[in-house]
């Protein structure tokens, strides 16, 4: 890694989107996202980023270091190539054995935990303390458990809400594709409102039920923080979510980068 005084690029490669953000120290300057396409080359990413950076008054050469978390192996190679070719050399890649996360993974097979979930745990504990439940509304909805010492204790993976909507639409011939939104009444007065109620309030009930079960099993009251695309929407409609943090993964990557920079 190049660790000079230039800007840092962090990349969160998820199942649906790749999110790019640039930081000047701890200050986030810009955030952009694109669909995660394993066929997109390093050079294509560079051309796309060049235009976005120029719009903010920056150049590719302003970025001298990079950090990456990826849950899509097919995309990782091109993103690492992008960083090597354009952004100051070898990126920090969460999941590599040499990278110090500053937490223990209290699982029998720690290598199975997604990089994004570990990054969220690092950032979540740093910003909110523990014990903590992190709910990430992504392609899957995940619940990650962090103890009072900041260690990763395990989690829960459930289908993301968009997947649930799409599955219902594809599997039932007479059911339409509906918008994800809260309904005024739990009991629907037609097919669309019945579906919207089942999807939205059913998801709220799942969140509340899971939080209750986790706290009972863990043996303590826990702070619940949500991130991901639907975090704000669901936080408005359930009291169990105490805070939302859409930039949690990006901030965690920055924290991990600087932790390893000063070792």
């Amino acid at each position: 890694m190049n660790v000079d005084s230039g800007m840092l690029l962090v990349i969160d490669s998820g199942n649906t989107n790749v999110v790019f953000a640039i930081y000047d120290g701890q200050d986030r300057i810009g955030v952009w996202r694109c669909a995660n396409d394993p066929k997109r080359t390093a050079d294509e990413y560079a051309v796309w980023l060049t235009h976005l950076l120029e719009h903010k008054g920056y150049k590719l050469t302003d970025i001298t270091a990079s950090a990456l978390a990826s849950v899509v192996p097919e995309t990782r190679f091109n993103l690492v190539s992008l960083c090597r070719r354009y952004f100051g050399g070898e990126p920090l890649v969460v999941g590599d054995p040499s990278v110090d996360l500053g937490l223990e993974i209290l699982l029998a097979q720690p290598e199975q935990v997604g990089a994004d979930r570990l990054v969220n745990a690092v950032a979540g504990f740093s910003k909110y303390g523990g014990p903590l439940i992190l709910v990430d509304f992504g392609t899957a909805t995940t619940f990650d458990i962090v103890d009072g010492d900041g260690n990763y204790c395990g989690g829960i993976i459930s289908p993301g809400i968009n997947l649930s909507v799409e599955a219902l639409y594809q599997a039932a011939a007479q059911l339409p594709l509906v918008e994800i939104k809260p309904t005024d009444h739990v009991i629907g007065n037609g097919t669309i409102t019945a579906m919207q109620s089942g999807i939205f309030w059913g998801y709220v009930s799942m969140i509340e039920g899971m939080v209750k079960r986790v706290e009972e099993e863990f043996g303590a009251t826990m702070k619940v923080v949500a991130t991901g695309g639907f975090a704000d929407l669901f936080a408005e409609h359930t009291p169990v979510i105490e805070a939302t943090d859409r930039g949690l993964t990006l901030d965690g990557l920055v924290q991990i980068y600087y932790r390893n920079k000063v070792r």
Side-chain angles (χ1 to χ4, degrees), residues 4-181:
D4 62 21
S5 59
M7 293 192 299
L8 171 67
L9 172 72
V10 297
I11 306 171
D12 173 23
S13 173
N15 288 297
T16 303
N17 294 315
V18 184
V19 183
F20 298 81
I22 54 171
Y23 283 76
D24 186 358
Q26 299 291 333
D27 297 326
R28 192 189 308 153
I29 295 172
V31 179
W32 306 280
R33 67 184 61 232
C34 64
N36 197 334
D37 180 2
K39 295 180 180 179
R40 185 174 289 115
T41 67
D43 295 330
E44 288 173 324
Y45 280 120
V47 170
W48 178 72
L49 281 169
T50 295
H51 293 296
L52 293 169
L53 286 165
E54 286 177 349
H55 185 67
K56 281 190 170 287
Y58 298 101
K59 306 183 296 295
L60 288 183
T61 53
D62 292 328
I63 298 169
T64 58
S66 56
L68 165 67
S70 176
V71 297
V72 183
E74 297 84 354
T75 304
R76 172 173 162 159
F77 175 81
N78 286 332
L79 291 172
V80 170
S81 297
L82 168 73
C83 296
R84 287 172 177 164
R85 197 173 302 165
Y86 294 98
F87 301 125
E90 200 69 24
L92 178 148
V93 180
V94 175
D96 285 357
S98 62
V99 175
D100 177 16
L101 299 178
L103 56 72
E104 290 189 49
I105 306 171
L106 306 179
L107 304 178
Q109 296 176 300
E111 70 280 358
Q112 293 185 352
V113 185
D116 56 338
R117 301 174 70 186
L118 295 176
V119 173
N120 285 350
V122 169
F125 182 75
S126 173
K127 299 171 82 169
Y128 303 101
L132 182 68
I133 301 173
L134 297 166
V135 187
D136 190 346
F137 295 96
T139 304
T141 297
T142 59
F143 297 74
D144 292 304
I145 315 306
V146 181
D147 68 17
D149 296 319
N151 299 316
Y152 183 86
C153 300
I156 301 151
I157 303 173
S158 59
I161 192 164
N162 277 323
L163 284 179
S164 301
V165 172
E166 190 69 27
L168 194 60
Y169 167 66
Q170 291 184 359
Q174 295 188 32
L175 296 182
L177 191 63
V178 298
E179 180 185 1
I180 298 168
K181 59 183 292 188

